[in-house]
Amino acid sequence: MKTLLFSLALIFSVTMSFAQTSESLKARIQEHYKAIHSGSDTLWSHHLDEFTIFPSDGKALLEPGFQKTFENMGATMKLPKPNVTMKHFSSQIYNNVGVATFYLDGSYGEEHGLYRVTAVWVWKDGVWLEAHHHESRLIN
C-alpha cells in the first residue's frame, strides 16, 4: 500500500512540475499572441484580475480593472493591430510564478521595431495567467 501511495504521489508531482515548465509558459505566451493577432477577445481571459501593464507607447501604468473601466465608460480599447514575432525567449520558474523575457520583432499598426518584453505569469488552476506585462521599444 505504501508503495502504491508513493507511486501515485510521484506521478502527481511529476505531472504538476511538467505543467509548470519554461516550455509550457512559452507555449501559453505564444497562444496569447495568436489571440492578440487574431483580435480574439479570449486574450483577456489570459490575465489575472489584478493584471497590470506598462505599454510600449511609454504611457502610464494601466492598473487592475482597466478593461472594465473602459467598458463602463462605453469606450473600447483601440489597440493597434500587431504583427510581431517572439524572439530570444527566456524564462525562470519560481514555484507557481514564471518570469519571461523576450523580444517582439515587427509592427504595431504603423510603428515598426524591436520591443523588449518582461512578463510575469502565475500558474493558477492549471493554467498560466499573466499578472504583469512591461514592454518597451528598443531605440537604435
Side-chain angles (χ1 to χ4, degrees), residues 47-58:
H47 298 140
L48 287 172
D49 290 340
E50 304 84 12
F51 174 72
T52 58
I53 183 171
F54 280 115
S56 62
D57 59 11

Side-chain angles (χ1 to χ4, degrees), residues 1-44:
M1 183 66 169
K2 286 182 182 179
T3 305
L4 176 63
L5 290 176
F6 177 75
S7 298
L8 289 173
L10 183 62
I11 290 168
F12 181 72
S13 67
V14 167
T15 303
M16 286 299 289
S17 56
F18 173 75
Q20 296 172 346
T21 63
S22 181
E23 293 80 20
S24 70
L25 177 57
K26 183 178 182 180
R28 177 62 167 179
I29 293 171
Q30 288 171 324
E31 175 187 338
H32 183 63
Y33 277 95
K34 283 181 186 174
I36 292 170
H37 286 134
S38 71
S40 172
D41 285 338
T42 63
L43 72 98
W44 298 115

Side-chain angles (χ1 to χ4, degrees), residues 59-136:
K59 292 184 180 171
L61 175 72
L62 294 175
E63 298 188 43
F66 69 88
Q67 302 102 313
K68 290 287 183 207
T69 301
F70 279 94
E71 291 171 13
N72 291 341
M73 294 183 330
T76 57
M77 291 192 65
K78 300 220 184 224
L79 300 172
K81 181 92 171 138
N83 183 15
V84 292
T85 302
M86 184 191 308
K87 294 184 173 183
H88 306 292
F89 179 87
S90 176
S91 70
Q92 296 78 39
I93 307 298
Y94 305 98
N95 294 324
N96 70 324
V97 175
V99 178
T101 55
F102 53 92
Y103 291 93
L104 293 173
D105 190 9
S107 63
Y108 283 95
E110 299 296 316
E111 192 78 24
H112 184 78
L114 189 61
Y115 301 83
R116 294 178 287 209
V117 177
T118 302
V120 179
W121 291 72
V122 176
W123 182 260
K124 184 176 178 185
D125 299 328
V127 67
W128 287 109
L129 298 172
E130 193 171 22
H132 179 74
H133 184 94
H134 188 150
E135 190 170 312
S136 59

